[in-house]
Amino acid sequence: MKLRFRPLMIVQRPVQLLVVGVVGLILIGTLGLLSPLAHTNALSWVDALLLATSAVCTTGLSSVNVAEVLTPAGQVWLALLIEVGALALLVLAFGFVELGRKNLMGRAQALEELGVRAGQDFRGLLHRVLTLTLGIQLVGAALLLPDMIRLEGAVKGARYALLHAVMAFGNAGFGMWPDGVARLLPSSLLTLMALVVLGGIGFVTLDELERNMQVRFRRGRRPPRLSTQTRIGLQVTGTLLLAGAALFAALEWNRAATLGPLAVPAKLLNAAFQTTVARSAGFATLDYGHFAAPTLLLIMGLMFIGGNPGSTAGGIKTTTAAVLLAATRAVLRREQDVHLAGRRMPTSTLMRALTVVTLAVLAIGLGTFALMLSDARQRPLALAFEAVSAFTTSGLSVNLTPHLSGSGKLVLVALMFLGRVGFLSLLLAFRPAPSPEMRLLRERDFTVG
Amino acid sequence: MKLRFRPLMIVQRPVQLLVVGVVGLILIGTLGLLSPLAHTNALSWVDALLLATSAVCTTGLSSVNVAEVLTPAGQVWLALLIEVGALALLVLAFGFVELGRKNLMGRAQALEELGVRAGQDFRGLLHRVLTLTLGIQLVGAALLLPDMIRLEGAVKGARYALLHAVMAFGNAGFGMWPDGVARLLPSSLLTLMALVVLGGIGFVTLDELERNMQVRFRRGRRPPRLSTQTRIGLQVTGTLLLAGAALFAALEWNRAATLGPLAVPAKLLNAAFQTTVARSAGFATLDYGHFAAPTLLLIMGLMFIGGNPGSTAGGIKTTTAAVLLAATRAVLRREQDVHLAGRRMPTSTLMRALTVVTLAVLAIGLGTFALMLSDARQRPLALAFEAVSAFTTSGLSVNLTPHLSGSGKLVLVALMFLGRVGFLSLLLAFRPAPSPEMRLLRERDFTVG
Ligand SMILES: [K+]
Ligand SMILES: [K+]
């Protein structure tokens, strides 16, 4: 009874597939980066491991300057790792469905887990999403091209345009210039922002929005109402971006080392850009080492919340934040159930939200603790910032990563892996199929973590 | 229909009674401290407000040296504020039951809210607990007396013995000497530790333990099994104390400014003492300004968890921590319900746990943010430590409170009030009475927050 066909064993444990897949990818990525074709200068195995993990987990933290240390081939290899990492969930789902073709229960469960509603054509969705994401990245690269050619010439410029589109959409912004992306034109910064937002919005949501727009503009009809999940994700995203940018601008407006010397439009653009990327992308236009403590704390808060579930973004996710606020509101109003967007939340959603917050607070706390031990001479706030950035796979840095000790770098590797794979695993964790009675009560499960 | 007898109105809103009561107590306390009888030197209204809030919320933070600024009468006034603050929950419950005497539903609900099981004699419990707590404090004072007389002479020594017993049991340790309580004998430190642990264990638990011991030792019979709530509280308390003390000792063992120069028994005693008081008492034997960053983070973690619910201790409480871990374990094991100590946890417990954690993280985050703005020149880690200490009403300080700006002190006042009254309010928040069906499923509500 215990002997079964191996692939089916894996199918029944998508989390194992995910862990094995990501570990394998990171190891292959590290070996690739260590090959003489990929790098020019010396590259230690710790730095290569950190870089590969950072790419696969779509973070953007690096202890070396990617533009200097990697050859053009190495940079393309890095972009490939980001692309596969960003699409990991889709790739996993594809493998899951392909392998589980004969296992109908497994297949139905996989669809449920991905938030695909019953009756949707999954292979069609996968095809559409892949086309859509590649299309978005190509359009982004085309928009970035003139500016990149202006800065780096034709050949390098074309490579940089593609690379930046992949990095922005994958929410893994590795700095190619010492001053981050500050030398780009405002139009290019806006393109990067758009790519970051689209990459962090979640694939299923993206697909829903695209079909909605097709109905509205091509067919001229009134599109169907957006799903609850999508509306909540967009609301939280919008609120965080506006409030975050306003607070950021207010805190840094007159500080000489950051926004102070800029003209007003540039101040606003930089505030908006930094707030957008803080939510997960890791590009910098300003030196984070010069930010005031409250600004760093604000950015840490934005990183902690992160983007939408099922996206390239990290953090506890917008929907988890919405669940936390809804539960708090319900308790303060002395209600017996948690309601969000008119639906009753099942216990399993609350359980997963509790788990996500507990693990996030524990991981960041222990990670910061470990960094304080391994790199005792660094500022505690900077170490906490780095730990949050790694665990939420945000990739922002107060210029600390290159100066960390070897064990400090390994702490970051562990945090990035936990932050990306841990939360994807929770997304795949079992949710009981809603019973007819539950449907009657308009109960609604929300994707958290 | 809208006109009702006023006391009954209050009875139906215990949270309002609590808020009005605590605000009134703090204002009366502040006025008392500002009277010329209570203080010798100049005492600003902000410092008096901070001190009164700190006493009523059983914190122990102060921006002035209590021994220097307050007269003996002022010190007795402070002790009274601590005593009333520590017994606030009991006082509230007493008023609640007295006023709601004719309101049977309200009375039953009040008992349910206090964790008193049906059929228990509430007035008897109140009487026993008051006798027990006053008795514990008197025994503590008697044990402290010889050491205090040795240090301060007969009159002042007697006052100090009583004062320290009240402060320790109330978990509000105001420093009377510049070096904290470092000049006390080891036996006195052990007495203080015992008082702190007993005060932080929760009144209902204390009563249960006392009756249990009576059965065991006076009547020589085997006592009944301890309640689930009590067992979990004791387990978490024991684990935190042992693990915390071991980590603390390991981190500071050889550091010259802290444990380094001490002999081994003194090292162990200090590690145990600091870990005990970190969980809420606010006495110091070492200079917190000299602790290493990881040690401060460890203490912040202990303060964050705090003591048992319904006690004088603050923090999210031991049972909340147990609920968080149980929910995480259930999700990782893909179980559909959360079980703790063999009982299924109802949704309301998970909701309250989510609320407690969300509010704690928000309050500490916003408080630290506000302190970083009001006192930008202070170290960020020290400000975060101070915010955690105030919100969890722990009262430990990296010697920062006296140096804060006026608005920084008001931030601490707000945090202490929120931390004490906010969590007591949540404790009183409505819990649906268990239905017979729920009892069948062996569902068990846990006190969190
Ligand atoms: K990222
Ligand atoms: K305290």
Side-chain angles (χ1 to χ4, degrees):
Chain A
M1 286 296 279
K2 290 231 166 182
L3 285 169
R4 279 188 244 176
F5 184 47
R6 260 234 164 282
L8 275 180
M9 279 294 285
I10 294 172
V11 167
Q12 281 162 353
R13 305 244 173 170
V15 174
Q16 289 182 351
L17 187 66
L18 180 71
V19 171
V20 171
V22 174
V23 168
L25 252 180
I26 290 174
L27 290 183
I28 294 169
T30 308
L31 290 177
L33 289 174
L34 283 174
S35 97
L37 289 174
H39 63 278
T40 48
N41 301 359
L43 180 68
S44 73
W45 70 267
V46 178
D47 290 330
L49 176 65
L50 182 73
L51 191 52
T53 310
S54 185
V56 170
C57 299
T58 65
T59 308
L61 281 177
S62 174
S63 48
V64 297
N65 184 320
V66 170
E68 280 173 19
V69 171
L70 295 190
T71 60
Q75 293 170 12
V76 171
W77 180 245
L78 192 71
L80 270 176
L81 291 177
I82 296 172
E83 195 78 358
V84 177
L87 302 176
L89 194 64
L90 280 179
V91 171
L92 170 75
F94 187 73
F96 194 18
V97 172
E98 281 303 299
L99 284 170
R101 193 177 283 280
K102 284 161 197 162
N103 177 355
L104 271 183
M105 263 308 286
R107 192 177 170 196
Q109 193 180 314
L111 297 178
E112 181 78 33
E113 281 162 355
L114 284 162
V116 181
R117 273 155 302 168
Q120 273 187 349
D121 172 19
F122 181 68
R123 288 175 66 94
L125 171 73
L126 195 61
H127 184 253
R128 278 202 312 280
V129 168
L130 282 177
T131 319
L132 188 62
T133 55
L134 293 177
I136 289 173
Q137 292 176 65
L138 281 177
V139 171
L143 289 173
L144 290 172
L145 194 59
D147 196 12
M148 294 292 179
I149 290 178
R150 173 182 72 89
L151 288 168
E152 302 286 343
V155 178
K156 201 172 171 190
R159 193 175 74 236
Y160 269 36
L162 263 174
L163 211 57
H164 277 83
V166 170
M167 293 195 298
F169 187 79
N171 279 0
F174 290 98
M176 305 300 280
W177 297 285
D179 55 350
V181 290
R183 62 183 66 184
L184 292 183
L185 293 175
S187 59
S188 301
L189 292 183
L190 289 172
T191 306
L192 288 180
M193 277 167 71
L195 286 168
V196 167
V197 170
L198 289 172
I201 221 167
F203 293 125
V204 178
T205 303
L206 212 54
D207 179 58
E208 188 182 344
L209 286 178
E210 198 245 350
R211 286 196 294 165
N212 212 299
M213 300 222 311
Q214 280 202 352
V215 171
R216 186 188 289 272
F217 295 111
R218 287 211 194 151
R219 301 188 204 155
R221 272 187 283 152
R222 192 148 176 263
R225 198 164 182 232
L226 290 174
S227 69
T228 317
Q229 181 96 31
T230 298
R231 274 181 292 134
I232 290 174
L234 292 178
Q235 276 167 16
V236 178
T237 302
T239 311
L240 283 181
L241 286 183
L242 286 178
L247 255 174
F248 186 99
L251 287 168
E252 297 286 336
W253 196 262
N254 283 320
R255 284 173 48 89
T258 55
L259 296 183
L262 302 179
V264 171
K267 284 184 200 226
L268 292 176
L269 177 66
N270 271 283
F273 185 81
Q274 282 314 318
T275 316
T276 310
V277 299
R279 291 187 56 252
S280 190
F283 286 114
T285 54
L286 301 164
D287 187 345
Y288 274 68
H290 290 139
F291 281 141
T295 314
L296 289 179
L297 196 65
L298 168 69
I299 296 171
M300 284 162 78
L302 290 171
M303 293 195 289
F304 186 78
I305 295 175
N308 286 352
S311 75
T312 55
I316 63 166
K317 307 294 177 323
T318 51
T319 44
T320 311
V323 169
L324 294 181
L325 290 181
T328 304
R329 190 184 55 193
V331 169
L332 296 183
R333 286 186 184 169
R334 306 181 162 221
E335 290 167 354
Q336 301 199 21
D337 297 303
V338 183
H339 291 262
L340 188 56
R343 298 297 177 94
R344 191 162 87 89
M345 221 176 275
T347 307
S348 55
T349 306
L350 299 177
M351 284 167 62
R352 286 206 316 284
L354 271 174
T355 305
V356 166
V357 173
T358 305
L359 293 182
V361 170
L362 269 181
I364 290 171
L366 290 177
T368 307
F369 187 78
L371 285 176
M372 283 173 168
L373 288 175
S374 69
D375 294 81
R377 287 184 196 181
Q378 304 293 346
R379 290 187 301 148
L381 181 64
L383 293 172
F385 189 91
E386 216 78 1
V388 172
S389 176
F391 182 71
T392 62
T393 63
S394 307
L396 291 176
S397 172
V398 279
N399 302 324
L400 190 62
T401 318
H403 307 296
L404 287 180
S405 63
S407 34
K409 288 173 185 170
L410 290 180
V411 171
L412 291 189
V413 167
L415 281 174
M416 288 190 284
F417 184 80
L418 281 175
R420 184 78 179 142
V421 176
F423 279 169
L424 279 181
S425 307
L426 281 180
L427 201 64
L428 292 180
F430 177 69
R431 295 177 215 175
S435 67
E437 191 195 354
M438 276 178 167
R439 290 204 192 279
L440 210 67
L441 289 167
R442 295 175 65 79
E443 214 171 52
R444 176 75 172 82
D445 193 28
F446 293 88
T447 309
V448 297
Chain B
M1 287 297 279
K2 292 232 165 179
L3 286 168
R4 277 187 245 177
F5 184 49
R6 261 230 163 284
L8 276 180
M9 279 294 285
I10 294 172
V11 167
Q12 282 161 354
R13 305 244 174 171
V15 175
Q16 289 182 352
L17 188 66
L18 180 71
V19 171
V20 171
V22 174
V23 168
L25 252 180
I26 290 175
L27 290 182
I28 293 170
T30 308
L31 291 176
L33 289 175
L34 283 173
S35 99
L37 289 173
H39 63 277
T40 49
N41 301 357
L43 181 68
S44 74
W45 69 267
V46 177
D47 289 330
L49 175 65
L50 181 73
L51 190 52
T53 310
S54 185
V56 170
C57 299
T58 65
T59 308
L61 281 177
S62 174
S63 48
V64 297
N65 184 320
V66 170
E68 279 173 20
V69 171
L70 295 189
T71 60
Q75 292 170 12
V76 172
W77 181 245
L78 192 72
L80 270 175
L81 291 176
I82 295 172
E83 195 75 1
V84 177
L87 303 176
L89 195 65
L90 280 179
V91 171
L92 170 77
F94 186 73
F96 194 19
V97 171
E98 281 302 299
L99 286 168
R101 193 176 282 283
K102 286 161 196 161
N103 178 353
L104 272 182
M105 263 308 286
R107 195 181 165 190
Q109 194 179 315
L111 298 179
E112 180 79 34
E113 282 161 354
L114 284 162
V116 181
R117 273 155 301 166
Q120 271 187 350
D121 172 19
F122 182 68
R123 289 174 65 93
L125 170 73
L126 195 61
H127 183 254
R128 278 202 313 280
V129 168
L130 281 177
T131 319
L132 187 62
T133 55
L134 293 177
I136 289 174
Q137 293 175 65
L138 282 177
V139 171
L143 289 173
L144 290 171
L145 194 59
D147 196 12
M148 293 293 177
I149 290 177
R150 172 183 71 89
L151 287 168
E152 302 286 342
V155 178
K156 202 172 169 189
R159 194 175 73 237
Y160 269 36
L162 263 175
L163 212 58
H164 276 84
V166 171
M167 294 195 299
F169 187 79
N171 278 0
F174 290 98
M176 306 299 282
W177 297 284
D179 56 348
V181 290
R183 62 183 67 184
L184 293 182
L185 293 175
S187 59
S188 300
L189 292 182
L190 289 172
T191 306
L192 288 179
M193 277 169 70
L195 286 168
V196 167
V197 170
L198 290 172
I201 221 168
F203 293 124
V204 177
T205 303
L206 210 54
D207 179 57
E208 189 181 344
L209 287 178
E210 197 244 350
R211 287 196 293 164
N212 212 299
M213 297 215 320
Q214 280 203 352
V215 171
R216 186 188 290 271
F217 295 111
R218 286 210 196 151
R219 301 189 202 154
R221 271 188 282 149
R222 197 154 171 259
R225 201 168 180 229
L226 291 174
S227 68
T228 315
Q229 180 95 31
T230 299
R231 273 182 291 135
I232 290 173
L234 291 178
Q235 277 167 14
V236 178
T237 303
T239 311
L240 283 180
L241 286 183
L242 286 178
L247 255 174
F248 186 100
L251 288 168
E252 298 286 335
W253 197 262
N254 283 321
R255 283 173 47 88
T258 56
L259 296 183
L262 304 177
V264 171
K267 285 183 199 227
L268 292 176
L269 176 65
N270 272 284
F273 185 81
Q274 284 312 319
T275 316
T276 310
V277 300
R279 291 189 55 253
S280 190
F283 287 112
T285 53
L286 301 164
D287 187 346
Y288 275 68
H290 290 138
F291 281 141
T295 315
L296 290 179
L297 197 66
L298 168 69
I299 297 171
M300 285 163 78
L302 290 172
M303 293 196 288
F304 186 78
I305 295 175
N308 287 352
S311 76
T312 56
I316 64 166
K317 307 293 179 321
T318 50
T319 44
T320 311
V323 170
L324 294 181
L325 290 181
T328 303
R329 189 185 53 193
V331 168
L332 295 184
R333 285 186 186 167
R334 308 183 161 219
E335 290 166 355
Q336 301 199 22
D337 297 302
V338 183
H339 291 262
L340 187 56
R343 298 297 176 93
R344 191 162 86 88
M345 221 178 274
T347 307
S348 56
T349 306
L350 299 178
M351 284 168 63
R352 286 205 316 286
L354 270 174
T355 305
V356 166
V357 174
T358 305
L359 292 181
V361 170
L362 268 182
I364 289 170
L366 290 177
T368 306
F369 187 77
L371 285 176
M372 283 174 169
L373 287 175
S374 69
D375 295 80
R377 288 185 193 177
Q378 305 292 348
R379 288 187 301 148
L381 181 64
L383 293 171
F385 188 91
E386 216 78 1
V388 172
S389 175
F391 182 71
T392 61
T393 63
S394 307
L396 291 176
S397 172
V398 278
N399 301 327
L400 190 61
T401 318
H403 307 295
L404 287 181
S405 64
S407 36
K409 287 173 186 171
L410 290 180
V411 171
L412 291 189
V413 167
L415 282 173
M416 288 190 283
F417 184 81
L418 281 175
R420 184 75 178 144
V421 175
F423 280 169
L424 279 181
S425 306
L426 281 179
L427 202 64
L428 293 179
F430 177 68
R431 296 177 215 174
S435 67
E437 190 195 353
M438 277 178 166
R439 291 205 191 279
L440 210 67
L441 290 167
R442 295 175 64 82
E443 214 171 51
R444 175 74 171 83
D445 192 27
F446 293 89
T447 309
V448 297

